[in-house]
Amino acid sequence: MASKTPVVEAKDLHAGYLPGINILNGCSLTANQGELIGIIGPNGAGKSTLLKAIFGQVNVRSGNILLNGEDITGLKANKLVAKGVAFVPQTNNVFPSLTIEENLELGAIWRKNSKEMKESLDQVVTIFPRLGERISQRSDTLSGGERQMLAIGRAIMSKPKLLLLDEPSLGLAPLVVEQIFQTIRDLATEMRLTVLLVEQNAMGALKIADLGIVLNLGKVVAVNHAQALIEDPAVRAAYLGY
């Protein structure tokens, strides 16, 4: 059972990429320690933009983002990583010309303690044994599922408190998706990581989430326990396809 300790709070965010055009229009959420929150909604709803706003990659025009009570609105990515925020984007999330080991070490580049880095590397290859088996292999030789494992593994190397995952199931085979989702669930449960999971695979996300948030037109239109959203006829018809 996750304790009710707020790790991240987004308050009334208005944000966008182009001048005068907002993608987020008053978006708010709270995620507690050890919670896995599935963020679903139609294309263009602002799901990925919400993660990017938290990670300092989108201009937040108004509203605030708090990490453990500290205002981090607008901080650059390198400072956010040092504070315990890790982001795995949809695409271009590994360095293809580097080996698995080199990619993972980059995830801990800001850490000074080599012993802790080694412990984190051991932890990652325990979570993803396939990465350990191919540790010296170039990343451009990996399958899509293996690359996603590597991207998540590199994020874990930074010892995050908050993990932001943008469409980790994109383009993967169903069996691989199931494995990735189970790993994400385990990270929240066993490592007490707070996870914000953006997914077009809405049912898959809600099945592993503690809480579900539905976005539409840059606003939160529904928030509830994930199972309650699965059972909600309006949510099922609009977002789950049955």
Side-chain angles (χ1 to χ4, degrees):
M1 178 70 69
S3 65
K4 298 302 181 182
T5 304
V7 169
V8 63
E9 299 170 88
K11 298 183 177 182
D12 196 26
L13 294 184
H14 293 75
Y17 304 91
L18 299 175
I21 301 175
N22 285 337
I23 304 298
L24 301 181
N25 297 286
C27 188
S28 300
L29 65 78
T30 298
N32 300 310
Q33 185 177 10
E35 279 188 333
L36 170 50
I37 296 184
I39 302 172
I40 67 171
N43 287 331
K47 303 184 300 295
S48 295
T49 301
L50 175 57
L51 295 192
K52 291 177 181 177
I54 293 171
F55 201 62
Q57 295 187 331
V58 177
N59 183 27
V60 175
R61 299 187 171 116
S62 64
N64 298 91
I65 302 161
L66 304 180
L67 180 70
N68 295 316
E70 177 188 356
D71 195 328
I72 60 167
T73 312
L75 283 186
K76 298 300 182 184
N78 62 320
K79 293 185 177 179
L80 291 169
V81 171
K83 289 181 178 293
V85 184
F87 176 47
V88 179
Q90 284 184 29
T91 58
N92 301 319
N93 53 19
V94 302
F95 295 95
S97 63
L98 300 182
T99 66
I100 289 173
E101 186 171 20
E102 289 167 340
N103 266 277
L104 292 174
E105 287 175 346
L106 280 176
I109 196 168
W110 65 273
R111 294 168 62 187
K112 306 300 182 186
N113 189 315
S114 59
K115 181 182 177 183
E116 285 187 1
M117 185 185 296
K118 176 63 166 58
E119 289 173 352
S120 292
L121 184 61
D122 291 343
Q123 182 181 43
V124 169
V125 298
T126 298
I127 295 168
F128 297 114
R130 197 174 306 177
L131 298 183
E133 294 165 3
R134 305 181 181 190
I135 197 73
S136 299
Q137 196 168 314
R138 275 176 54 123
S139 301
D140 57 5
T141 65
L142 301 179
S143 68
E146 289 165 345
R147 287 193 185 200
Q148 196 60 261
M149 293 174 192
L150 178 56
I152 295 172
R154 193 177 67 214
I156 293 169
M157 289 290 293
S158 69
K159 292 192 72 174
K161 302 168 186 170
L162 173 64
L163 180 59
L164 311 174
L165 298 173
D166 193 2
E167 302 274 12
S169 75
L170 187 68
L172 302 183
L175 183 58
V176 178
V177 170
E178 186 176 332
Q179 294 170 343
I180 293 290
F181 277 177
Q182 184 57 56
T183 298
I184 294 168
R185 177 65 262 175
D186 291 344
L187 290 174
T189 302
E190 296 172 13
M191 295 178 62
R192 292 186 54 98
L193 274 180
T194 302
V195 181
L196 300 186
L197 170 64
V198 160
E199 265 295 340
Q200 281 298 117
N201 183 349
M203 179 61 82
L206 292 179
K207 281 183 175 179
I208 63 168
D210 300 304
L211 193 72
I213 290 176
V214 182
L215 288 189
N216 196 16
L217 300 177
K219 295 182 178 180
V220 174
V221 296
V223 54
N224 208 333
H225 294 292
Q227 188 59 39
L229 289 179
I230 291 173
E231 295 170 359
D232 185 316
V235 172
R236 284 165 52 178
Y239 305 108
L240 302 182
Y242 71 101

